[in-house]
Amino acid sequence: MSAIRNRSTALAATGLVAALALTACSTGQTSSGSGGGDTKPVQGKIALTYLQKQGDQEYFIGEAAGAKEKAAQLGIDLQVVNLGNDANKTVSEVQAAIARKSNGLIVVVPDPAVGPQVAQTAKDAKVALLTSDDQICTTGPDPASCAHDALVPRIGFSGAQMGGEVGKRAAEEFKKAGWKAAETRTLSAWKQDVTVCGDRVKAAKTAFAAGAGAAVENIDVATDNTPTGAQDKVAATVTANPGVKHWVIWGCNDENVQGGVTALQNAGIDAKDIIGVGLGAYLACKDWKSGKPSGMKAALFINGKDVGALAVQTMYDRLKNGKDFPAEAFAPTKMVDAATWQAAGVGCA
């Protein structure tokens, strides 16, 4: 996923952006059908539309910036559209983009249920389709139960890799704190119908269990992937578990962890009794920048700018050179904390 959110960075030098297509990880597989349709190489100037959910969130702001920079380098006419959380708007904006003669569409859907309609609309119009961040399926509303060859090609991050890094760091912090397992709970917070979010959380749980050295009870918290949504749900969870002394929290994105940490601290739990490991670092860094004690102990830095640039480059390679889409291609990540985030280049508004 849910991701998983979500953000600009000081690492957006032109040389880095130009190298993204070479340095990003890939599954090694290609997909010429689900997203390519019957598209043929474009002879003139390429026109693309990048449709993003939650386009006012920092991660997606950074993603749009990376896409625009790459489009400018490649001479692409790019339009970025903010879909908010409106699934119906997704369909209407896809239709509008096709009416504007866009050669390709890059989509981050607010709801994977619209995936089949979006894919069919693009296919009927012979317009190339690529997703970034979240997966969609051409044959059904749930990418998790989709046949591999029916998934639309995706640019983003590896949910399993990201979640694994988060869970590993959470386990390290737990062992360092010396807490008793019986007095501790882990909280997994995410929007549970977003496949990539589920991948991240599942991997975090597995990695934590492997590294913690003790069995800690986990509580799953269903959220809407926003800070306020996570804060409300975690607050209710804390109220229902008054005997817990220590809390470890991870989730699909920084929003879930930030909201959860806020709820815990508002409930009177001291920052030293909270281990929050974010995913994004774009909100975590604000806690560290303030210099005040925080339950946010670390975060995996994911740079939306890298994803936006890589998505545009991948679409360009398809439309200009006829290169097959990879089934998935991944941008790099890095774990940061209060001592390392600035050196890592995390942009913090």
Side-chain angles (χ1 to χ4, degrees):
M1 242 145 169
S2 50
I4 113 6
R5 298 213 14 23
N6 224 13
R7 314 157 179 160
S8 59
T9 174
L11 291 179
T14 300
L16 172 66
V17 175
L20 285 173
L22 299 177
T23 60
C25 301
S26 171
T27 61
Q29 300 174 306
T30 60
S31 175
S32 59
S34 297
D38 298 321
T39 56
K40 297 179 180 179
V42 177
Q43 300 304 316
K45 188 171 187 178
I46 292 173
L48 301 182
T49 301
Y50 209 129
L51 304 106
Q52 299 175 301
K53 71 177 183 182
Q54 300 170 332
D56 57 348
Q57 287 193 8
E58 291 180 51
Y59 171 85
F60 291 113
I61 291 171
E63 184 176 76
K68 290 174 182 177
E69 287 186 12
K70 177 58 68 176
Q73 291 175 16
L74 297 174
I76 293 171
D77 180 8
L78 174 70
Q79 182 164 342
V80 177
V81 178
N82 179 12
L83 301 173
N85 289 305
D86 190 342
N88 292 326
K89 187 177 181 181
T90 307
V91 176
S92 63
E93 289 292 351
V94 164
Q95 294 169 339
I98 291 171
R100 290 194 302 270
K101 306 299 182 184
S102 290
N103 303 114
L105 307 175
I106 305 170
V107 184
V108 193
V109 294
D111 185 340
V114 302
Q117 187 173 358
V118 167
Q120 189 62 49
T121 302
K123 182 179 180 181
D124 290 345
K126 295 182 170 55
V127 170
L129 176 65
L130 185 65
T131 64
S132 70
D133 304 290
D134 299 343
Q135 286 183 314
I136 62 173
C137 178
T138 63
T139 57
D142 182 9
S145 60
C146 187
H148 181 76
D149 61 0
L151 289 169
V152 174
R154 182 179 77 91
I155 305 298
F157 297 100
S158 166
Q161 181 269 330
M162 290 193 298
E165 290 297 319
V166 167
K168 178 183 176 182
R169 180 57 179 262
E172 291 172 358
E173 295 288 341
F174 170 75
K175 292 176 73 174
K176 183 169 65 176
W179 298 343
K180 294 180 180 179
E183 298 175 344
T184 306
R185 295 291 183 274
T186 61
L187 286 173
S188 302
W190 80 106
K191 192 172 188 294
Q192 297 182 357
D193 62 351
V194 177
T195 306
V196 293
C197 289
D199 293 342
R200 297 171 191 179
V201 168
K202 180 180 179 181
K205 290 179 181 180
T206 300
F208 182 84
V216 179
E217 183 180 337
N218 176 75
I219 302 173
D220 289 340
V221 181
T223 75
D224 60 0
N225 277 354
T226 68
T228 54
Q231 183 175 337
D232 291 344
K233 293 300 180 68
V234 171
T237 301
V238 174
T239 300
N241 293 270
V244 178
K245 294 182 178 180
H246 315 292
W247 295 88
V248 182
I249 180 168
W250 56 68
C252 181
N253 52 20
D254 256 23
E255 283 83 355
N256 280 288
V257 182
Q258 177 74 278
V261 167
T262 300
L264 291 165
Q265 294 183 170
N266 287 348
I269 299 169
D270 196 277
K272 64 180 176 58
D273 293 313
I274 303 169
I275 295 171
V277 182
L279 205 163
Y282 45 85
L283 295 182
C285 66
K286 294 182 179 181
D287 283 8
W288 304 328
K289 190 176 182 180
S290 73
K292 298 178 181 179
S294 170
M296 188 76 81
K297 298 301 191 292
L300 190 67
F301 177 31
I302 60 173
N303 187 356
K305 206 160 191 176
D306 291 353
V307 172
L310 182 56
V312 170
Q313 180 70 61
T314 302
M315 183 63 81
Y316 176 87
D317 291 341
R318 169 72 185 182
L319 294 175
K320 184 59 68 172
N321 304 316
K323 183 179 179 180
D324 285 345
F325 286 141
E328 290 186 298
F330 304 134
T333 63
K334 184 175 184 178
M335 187 63 69
V336 296
D337 55 30
T340 63
W341 69 273
Q342 289 176 304
V346 179
C348 202

